[in-house]
Amino acid sequence: KLRKIHLPSTLRKMEVNTFIRCPLEKIELPEGITEIPDYMCESCEDLKNVVLPSTIKRINHGAFNCCIKLPSIDLPDSIETIDCSVFRYCESLKGVTLPPKITFLGDELFYFSGIESIEIHKNITEIGQQVFCGCNNLKRLVIPESVISIKDGIVSAHDGFEGVTCYAKGYHVENEALIDDEHQELLCCWTQQKNYIVP
């Protein structure tokens, strides 16, 4: 039944599953913490407010997975790594500004979240599997030329999706599909055509 907690200023480390399934409404991490552990707040379904310190460098796997009421989160510029599935099933999360130091979007990072728009900045070089799959509020995705590796299933078809614009070398968009030129592989397709012709 834990809904509120005050963490001491001396805290520097937490273990896996720290608050998993607690009905916390808010969490504020003290300055000095550099890493958020795996699944720290997984399935904290009442969590609506997260305050991260300027010292955070890494958010580990699934830290906020299934925080279905989290509407927004400010990610400090100090963050260098955001691991896989961190915002998976965050249905109320509408937008995030990606920290400038991160270079990789982990697998299923925003899987079935409420993301409506996002800017993939030019320091990002890799996009993992199914990063935006199931993001049924996402309007458009622009992949910059800095990206050198794109995994499969990064988006999925849904009403109102305008498509992917890809400037990355070695990839192109054709007939509502993202194609890996080197491997001649169809990575994802967002068509709603009834009679689809594979490129």
Side-chain angles (χ1 to χ4, degrees):
K1 297 181 179 180
L2 182 67
R3 305 193 77 82
K4 297 180 181 180
I5 190 167
H6 177 74
L7 300 173
S9 61
T10 53
L11 182 67
R12 293 296 178 268
K13 185 178 180 181
M14 294 177 288
E15 295 297 332
V16 174
N17 297 348
T18 319
F19 302 108
I20 190 169
R21 289 189 292 277
C22 287
L24 285 171
E25 297 174 349
K26 177 181 179 179
I27 186 165
E28 183 171 353
L29 302 183
E31 290 290 327
I33 285 184
T34 59
E35 190 168 333
I36 294 177
D38 293 347
Y39 310 109
M40 180 184 75
C41 289
E42 182 176 46
S43 297
C44 291
E45 295 185 351
D46 294 315
L47 187 65
K48 294 180 181 178
N49 191 350
V50 174
V51 180
L52 303 179
S54 62
T55 50
I56 287 287
K57 293 186 179 297
R58 182 182 182 95
I59 302 177
N60 283 318
H61 193 280
F64 300 103
N65 183 35
C66 295
C67 291
I68 59 175
K69 293 183 181 177
L70 184 66
S72 62
I73 185 169
D74 290 330
L75 300 175
D77 287 351
S78 58
I79 295 174
E80 299 172 358
T81 304
I82 301 176
D83 214 334
C84 304
S85 305
V86 168
F87 300 110
R88 194 170 180 263
Y89 290 113
C90 288
E91 299 170 2
S92 299
L93 189 64
K94 303 302 181 187
V96 166
T97 300
L98 297 171
K101 293 180 182 179
I102 67 168
T103 60
F104 174 67
L105 299 182
D107 295 349
E108 298 187 7
L109 180 57
F110 295 103
Y111 186 85
F112 277 86
S113 72
I115 289 289
E116 295 178 349
S117 63
I118 192 162
E119 180 183 353
I120 300 177
H121 58 66
K122 293 186 178 180
N123 288 331
I124 291 173
T125 58
E126 298 180 59
I127 301 176
Q129 291 180 327
Q130 298 185 316
V131 172
F132 301 101
C133 182
C135 294
N136 292 334
N137 296 320
L138 187 65
K139 304 301 182 189
R140 170 167 288 279
L141 188 66
V142 178
I143 300 173
E145 60 185 354
S146 60
V147 173
I148 59 174
S149 175
I150 305 172
K151 300 300 183 184
D152 61 275
I154 61 168
V155 296
S156 52
H158 59 270
D159 290 338
F161 187 59
E162 298 173 2
V164 174
T165 301
C166 183
Y167 297 105
K169 293 180 181 178
Y171 301 89
H172 76 277
V173 171
E174 183 179 342
N175 199 16
E176 299 183 303
L178 179 63
I179 310 295
D180 179 335
D181 298 332
E182 181 181 352
H183 300 99
Q184 295 185 334
E185 181 180 359
L186 192 154
L187 296 176
C188 60
C189 180
W190 51 90
T191 189
Q192 297 193 53
Q193 300 174 42
K194 292 182 179 179
N195 299 297
Y196 183 74
I197 299 174
V198 177

